[in-house]
Amino acid sequence: MVLSFTAYSQSDSTKTFTLSGSIDTYVHSSFGTRNLYPLDNDGNPSATYAPSTSFADLKGFSLGMVNLIASYQGEKAGFTADVVFGPRGRAAVFGTASGQAIINQMFAYYKLSDAVTLNLGQFNTFVGYEVISPAINFHYSTSYLFSWGPFNHTGLRADFAFGDGGVAKLAIMNPTDVVEFNPVNTYTLGAQIGKTSDAGGIWLNLLYGDQDGTLDDKVDALGTISNGTLFQVDLTTGWNLSETFYLGANTSYQTVGEGERVTVDGVVDRGNDASSFFGVALYPKLTLSETFALGLRAEYFSISKGHLGIIGLDTDGNGSVMEFTLSGNYKAGGFTFIPEVRIDKTSEDSFFKDGEAELKDMMATVNLAAVYKF
């Protein structure tokens, strides 16, 4: 159910205010297996009962978030105000200077024409297959591709509609997930081009920019380091291949340059290789009835040169993980019940079992989630 209020101006143009959202809650178990990664600043294991992916990572009976979305649609202009409360919301909006972490999206838009819309403010990323809202994802847990790509952007974005399903975006933004203001004075460029139809769509997404600022040896202390420029290319697609079978796919490559360091000789290159991740995920889904569907996520995710410390890596900083997530969706009106079984298998040991000294390379988890969308 969406609450909608419509008003008419003297020129008989329609203006609509809507209030929608969702709540989610779940129970989670990893059968006593814990995750070593990521390590804390002292090199100690995280010891969480979940893989190194976002959300659905709290032991036992747990809460997700309350999501409230207010939107106003006018003839030429409007806004979206999307707020989140709860553990899932705090994990999604982690780049806040104020620490409030409740604004998921807040942007205003203006239509220059039927084909061009300008958006200014904070908005969820257009990169990738999965999203923050559990009411939109089929699986309750999330992929490595989603968890370690961007979540949110703050900036100016132009949306283009070319007709016949052709779409595009161009954006200039703060560094990814730096949402309230820009403390580092560097910016990220974003772009998308896509083609959609009644059967599905395909989108090519790009990000490019320095994420943590540039160094100045007159200001920054000796030994201060900065990462290099980030580049990410992402392809997302999904198609209804029949009335009951759907297939989605996502592949993404992200790389960060070697970066710089402040030395007695000034700012110099750090001398290390560029690091990266690469991943690919398939999302087949079978609709068995009007109320029940079964879906699989099969994902491969690899890390090179220590790009992320989220799984066990070899001495060169390389490692990979494969995860398989089987989920059911039972729907009744706005309610969705999601039973889910997941297995994560890493190339290097990344897990340990309570009471056992031997490290493991596999973790099995179970989630039972309830999501209500209104």
Side-chain angles (χ1 to χ4, degrees):
M1 178 184 68
V2 176
L3 297 179
S4 178
F5 305 91
T6 303
Y8 297 92
S9 70
Q10 292 180 348
S11 62
D12 200 37
S13 61
T14 302
K15 302 176 181 181
T16 303
F17 175 81
T18 60
L19 179 64
S20 60
S22 66
I23 65 96
D24 61 288
T25 183
Y26 66 101
V27 58
H28 169 85
S29 176
S30 64
F31 308 100
T33 300
R34 302 196 196 195
N35 194 348
L36 288 165
Y37 296 91
L39 303 176
D40 66 17
N41 293 332
D42 297 321
N44 297 316
S46 68
T48 55
Y49 291 92
S52 299
T53 53
S54 298
F55 320 139
D57 55 358
L58 301 176
K59 182 183 177 183
F61 293 98
S62 310
L63 300 179
M65 69 182 186
V66 178
N67 185 198
L68 299 174
I69 306 170
S71 62
Y72 172 82
Q73 296 178 332
E75 183 178 359
K76 297 285 289 184
F79 72 84
T80 291
D82 176 345
V83 294
V84 288
F85 306 92
R88 189 182 183 107
R90 288 195 303 272
V93 194
F94 59 87
T96 59
S98 68
Q100 290 181 329
I102 62 172
I103 297 176
N104 183 37
Q105 297 186 95
M106 187 179 70
F107 62 90
Y109 69 84
Y110 182 79
K111 295 181 179 180
L112 296 178
S113 68
D114 290 341
V116 183
T117 301
L118 295 180
N119 307 269
L120 180 63
Q122 177 183 329
F123 42 87
N124 291 161
T125 187
F126 49 85
V127 176
Y129 184 92
E130 299 179 20
V131 298
I132 292 170
S133 172
I136 299 175
N137 290 335
F138 186 87
H139 304 280
Y140 189 71
S141 69
T142 55
S143 67
Y144 289 89
L145 282 167
F146 167 79
S147 299
W148 301 102
F151 282 1
N152 282 291
H153 307 285
T154 297
L156 176 64
R157 190 187 79 215
D159 296 345
F160 302 91
F162 301 121
D164 294 325
V167 295
K169 299 182 190 294
L170 287 174
I172 180 168
M173 307 167 292
N174 291 346
T176 59
D177 295 302
V178 177
V179 291
E180 291 179 339
F181 74 107
N182 188 343
V184 299
N185 298 320
T186 56
Y187 293 88
T188 292
L189 301 177
Q192 178 188 88
I193 188 166
K195 182 70 167 66
T196 65
S197 70
D198 292 340
I202 185 169
W203 300 266
L204 177 66
N205 308 297
L206 300 168
L207 290 176
Y208 179 82
D210 188 300
Q211 302 301 296
D212 61 359
T214 56
L215 298 178
D216 185 344
D217 60 351
K218 297 179 177 62
V219 177
D220 299 304
L222 285 175
T224 302
I225 61 175
S226 171
N227 293 320
T229 300
L230 177 146
F231 171 72
Q232 184 168 355
V233 57
D234 175 277
L235 183 68
T236 300
T237 187
W239 300 94
N240 291 304
L241 300 181
S242 72
E243 291 184 358
T244 60
F245 184 68
Y246 168 89
L247 181 62
N250 180 211
T251 186
S252 197
Y253 173 77
Q254 182 187 101
T255 183
V256 174
E258 64 174 302
E260 298 176 324
R261 180 188 301 272
V262 178
T263 71
V264 293
D265 298 319
V267 177
V268 300
D269 291 340
R270 291 172 63 182
N272 56 301
D273 295 331
S275 64
S276 63
F277 77 63
F278 169 77
V280 59
L282 297 177
Y283 298 83
K285 182 179 69 174
L286 183 64
T287 301
L288 300 175
S289 71
E290 292 182 356
T291 59
F292 186 74
L294 194 63
L296 176 70
R297 178 178 60 222
E299 179 184 21
Y300 170 81
F301 187 86
S302 66
I303 295 168
S304 176
K305 303 299 182 182
H307 186 70
L308 295 168
I310 60 171
I311 58 173
L313 304 176
D314 64 20
T315 55
D316 294 322
N318 303 327
S320 63
V321 57
M322 297 186 69
E323 64 96 0
F324 300 90
T325 303
L326 181 65
S327 302
N329 275 201
Y330 171 76
K331 294 182 178 293
F335 173 81
T336 304
F337 176 63
I338 308 173
E340 179 176 283
V341 177
R342 172 171 173 160
I343 294 176
D344 289 66
K345 179 77 163 56
T346 56
S347 60
E348 307 290 327
D349 290 337
S350 303
F351 313 107
F352 66 98
K353 184 92 169 177
D354 286 341
E356 297 181 9
E358 184 179 357
L359 299 180
K360 300 179 178 297
D361 62 4
M362 189 173 73
M363 171 182 274
T365 54
V366 170
N367 297 307
L368 299 175
V371 180
Y372 194 91
K373 181 181 180 181
F374 58 89

